[in-house]
């Protein structure tokens, strides 16, 4: 392992000092955010590395938020398959990630917050958990976590790794801090060849291309079937704004009202909005009613697995998907989807899940979070790219008047998703090898 230079050690020292000084403000932020998301403020000691000691030898997977936690599902399942009896240490930094992660735990597993990235907090965490290997999901870089893990003899892996050209350029500004963090990684398991090349440029010593774990995720068939049953009962098509982000809902509502004639020609479709962040549900509900549109919220149906929504819901202008872990249900409802996060400069959301559910997709110009998957989906005919959200809506409404064309896109989406599976198996083997375990 190449030793860090004086400049790099100094950069990490300054970074650590700043974080130590910011610790009171960080803790205040945790409690303030906990007012909206109570789970976020639970177990505050874990944020600073405290917690009961556990038996050594767990496979530690850090999934920062909901998207990374969902991507980790396929990897964790494959790790358990290849190493029966594996104990999992699962960490997060957001409440949505931690809530989703609960469903992945088995007897003997542990769930914690990732400690604040100061040397003391990380040392306490590692002393109490003593994992056999650490797996960071997708884009996570934590200078002190990785430095202290190296000192403790814990090999660190970046799994489902991606690095955009923009992120690589930004990283150059903080090279003295990030370059040694990149070198501490024993292995990066990249989504694409382009990601791999950029990771090597960033300084990761061993990079392998394994594909994208999100292709290995299977839709919840029960939810998908229920969504399709709901759609059949509506007797009108459904346009979905999927995993929307700030600015997109307002633009969609404006475009929706302006497209009255096209909507009439398309069979008076229902607009389904499923936001990315649950703390924005009420904000978006108010936005819809302020626009003069009638609204029904998914939460109004209750938590039971109802087979048919209330009759009054069928005549609403807009449905708001204000529930968690029901994306397969919403995709089952949709005839066509618009990709959230791609119409603002946010990099796009998970378009692979849309394809796996067989839903034709229109995406905006900003898909750098899923760059290769976006290009592959375009080549496969599963998705189409437009420049603006109003253009996407126009194309979606036009597609509703062309059922054969829509069905062809849906079939192409399903085939595209199925063709790229297998990343979990390619990633699990080298991760387990770092623990000294071999299934052969």
């Amino acid at each position: 392992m190449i030793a860090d230079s004086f400049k790099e050690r100094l950069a990490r020292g300054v970074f650590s000092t700043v974080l130590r000084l910011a610790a009171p403000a960080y803790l205040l932020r945790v409690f303030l955010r906990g007012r909206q998301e109570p789970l976020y403020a639970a177990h505050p000691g874990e944020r600073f590395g405290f917690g009961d000691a556990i038996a050594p030898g767990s496979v530690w997977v850090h999934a920062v938020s909901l998207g990374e936690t969902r991507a980790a599902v396929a990897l964790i399942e494959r790790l358990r398959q290849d190493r029966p009896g594996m104990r999992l240490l699962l960490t997060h930094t957001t409440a949505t990630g931690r809530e989703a992660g609960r469903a992945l735990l088995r007897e003997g597993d542990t769930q914690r917050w990732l400690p604040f990235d100061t040397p003391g907090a990380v040392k306490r965490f590692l002393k109490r958990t003593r994992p056999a290997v650490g797996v960071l999901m997708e884009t996570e870089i934590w200078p002190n976590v990785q430095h202290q893990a190296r000192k403790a003899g814990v090999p660190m892996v970046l799994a489902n790794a991606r690095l955009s050209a923009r992120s690589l350029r930004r990283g150059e500004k903080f090279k003295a801090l990030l370059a040694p963090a990149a070198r501490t990684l024993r292995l990066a398991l990249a989504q694409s060849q382009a990601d791999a090349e950029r990771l090597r440029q960033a300084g990761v010593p061993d990079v392998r291309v394994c594909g994208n774990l999100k292709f290995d995720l299977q839709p919840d068939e029960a939810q998908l079937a229920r969504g399709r049953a709901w759609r059949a009962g509506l007797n009108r098509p459904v346009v979905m704004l999927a995993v929307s982000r700030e600015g997109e809902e307002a633009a969609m509502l404006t475009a929706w009202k302006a497209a009255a004639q096209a909507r009439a020609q398309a069979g008076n479709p229902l607009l389904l909005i499923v936001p990315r962040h649950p703390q924005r549900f009420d904000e978006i509900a108010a936005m819809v009613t302020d626009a003069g549109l009638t609204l029904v919220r998914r939460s109004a149906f209750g938590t039971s697995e109802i087979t048919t929504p209330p009759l009054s819901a069928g005549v609403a202008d807009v449905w708001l998907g204000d529930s968690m872990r029901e994306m397969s249900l919403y995709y089952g409802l949709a005839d066509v989807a618009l990709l959230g996060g791609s119409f603002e400069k946010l990099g796009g959301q998970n378009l692979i899940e849309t394809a796996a559910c067989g839903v034709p997709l229109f995406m905006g110009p900003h898909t750098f979070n899923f760059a290769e998957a976006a290009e592959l989906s375009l080549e496969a005919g599963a998705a189409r790219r437009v420049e603006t959200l109003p253009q996407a809506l126009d194309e979606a409404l036009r597609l509703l008047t062309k059922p054969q064309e829509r069905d062809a896109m849906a079939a192409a989406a399903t085939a595209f998703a199925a063709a790229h599976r297998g990343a979990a198996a390619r990633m699990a083997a080298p991760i387990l090898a770092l623990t000294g375990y071999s299934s052969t």
Side-chain angles (χ1 to χ4, degrees):
M1 178 67 69
I2 300 173
D4 298 344
S5 69
F6 171 77
K7 183 179 179 180
E8 291 169 341
R9 294 195 302 273
L10 178 62
R12 189 169 56 250
V14 171
F15 171 76
S16 300
T17 299
V18 170
L19 288 191
R20 288 189 187 102
L21 294 173
Y26 168 72
L27 190 58
L28 177 61
R29 177 178 178 273
V30 166
F31 285 114
L32 290 176
R33 185 165 174 178
R35 293 179 178 179
Q36 288 186 310
E37 300 175 83
L39 180 58
Y40 195 84
H43 314 288
E46 293 178 6
R47 300 277 189 177
F48 295 92
F50 295 103
D52 294 337
I54 64 174
S58 295
V59 172
W60 166 28
V61 176
H62 175 62
V64 57
S65 191
L66 179 62
E68 292 83 2
T69 302
R70 297 192 66 200
V73 170
L75 177 60
I76 291 169
E77 289 178 350
R78 184 67 192 209
L79 288 167
R80 293 194 197 278
Q81 178 182 328
D82 289 355
R83 184 177 175 180
M86 180 197 83
R87 286 181 293 105
L88 174 68
L89 169 61
L90 186 60
T91 62
H92 315 274
T93 57
T94 70
T96 53
R98 184 154 181 161
E99 183 179 4
R102 286 172 176 168
L104 305 181
L105 303 179
R106 296 183 181 179
E107 185 177 356
D109 293 343
T110 304
Q111 190 177 34
R112 298 268 170 96
W113 295 117
L114 185 76
F116 196 43
D117 198 27
T118 58
V122 176
K123 286 178 184 177
R124 284 189 290 271
F125 169 79
L126 291 172
K127 183 177 179 180
R128 286 164 169 78
T129 57
R130 295 174 291 169
V133 65
V135 181
L136 305 171
M137 295 298 299
E138 298 202 352
T139 60
E140 294 297 288
I141 293 293
W142 300 92
N144 281 315
V145 166
Q146 292 164 231
H147 178 71
Q148 295 299 330
R150 180 177 64 179
K151 290 178 66 175
V154 179
M156 298 298 293
V157 178
L158 187 62
N160 214 40
R162 57 183 172 87
L163 182 65
S164 68
R166 183 170 72 168
S167 294
L168 180 62
R169 289 193 300 271
R170 287 179 175 176
E172 285 295 315
K173 298 178 182 178
F174 304 97
K175 188 173 183 179
L177 183 65
L178 298 180
R183 291 198 300 268
T184 63
L185 293 169
R186 288 284 295 276
L187 183 62
L189 304 172
Q191 294 184 14
S192 70
Q193 187 63 48
D195 289 312
E197 289 300 324
R198 288 190 284 266
L199 286 162
R200 293 186 185 104
Q201 290 178 50
V204 181
D206 188 357
V207 184
R208 307 175 196 179
V209 178
C210 294
N212 194 328
L213 284 171
K214 291 178 179 177
F215 282 109
D216 286 12
L217 295 175
Q218 298 292 325
D220 185 314
E221 292 297 335
Q223 284 189 16
L224 199 58
R226 195 180 330 133
R228 288 170 177 165
W230 287 14
R231 164 64 183 85
L234 285 173
N235 198 30
R236 59 192 288 213
V238 177
V239 175
M240 177 181 179
L241 178 57
V243 205
S244 60
R245 300 287 298 275
E246 294 84 347
E248 293 178 329
E249 300 92 359
M252 183 65 171
L253 292 172
T254 299
W256 190 259
K257 293 179 69 175
Q261 183 176 353
R263 286 190 284 115
Q265 294 172 347
N268 186 32
L270 170 73
L271 173 60
L272 170 63
I273 300 177
V274 184
R276 170 67 178 85
H277 296 117
Q279 61 267 32
R280 300 186 61 239
F281 288 160
D282 291 343
E283 170 195 341
I284 296 163
M287 199 181 296
V288 173
T289 55
D290 289 347
L293 299 170
T294 56
L295 171 71
V296 170
R297 299 176 66 150
R298 163 68 182 98
S299 56
F301 302 166
T303 57
S304 61
E305 295 183 359
I306 59 173
T307 56
T308 305
L311 291 176
S312 59
V315 296
D317 297 315
V318 181
W319 280 13
L320 176 62
D322 60 343
S323 63
M324 301 298 293
R325 299 191 298 277
E326 287 195 318
M327 285 306 297
S328 294
L329 168 73
Y330 295 130
Y331 281 125
L333 264 166
D335 292 272
V336 61
L338 281 62
L339 182 65
S342 70
F343 300 99
E344 298 290 333
K345 295 180 180 180
L346 299 167
Q349 299 302 134
N350 181 9
L351 60 94
I352 297 169
E353 184 174 14
T354 318
C357 292
V359 181
L361 181 70
F362 291 91
M363 66 181 81
H366 309 293
T367 53
F368 53 80
N369 287 339
F370 294 86
E372 184 184 51
E375 293 306 313
L376 290 173
S377 69
L378 292 170
E379 292 173 9
R384 296 174 187 171
R385 191 187 296 279
V386 296
E387 288 301 312
T388 68
L389 196 149
Q391 289 175 357
L393 176 59
D394 288 344
E395 287 298 306
L397 294 174
R398 186 197 63 79
L399 189 65
L400 293 179
T401 68
K402 306 285 185 180
Q404 290 184 333
E405 185 179 335
R406 197 214 74 87
D407 291 347
M409 279 190 74
T414 303
F416 157 69
H420 294 278
R421 294 187 180 126
R426 291 188 287 269
M427 292 184 192
I431 290 171
L432 291 176
L434 289 174
T435 71
Y437 180 87
S438 174
S439 59
T440 58

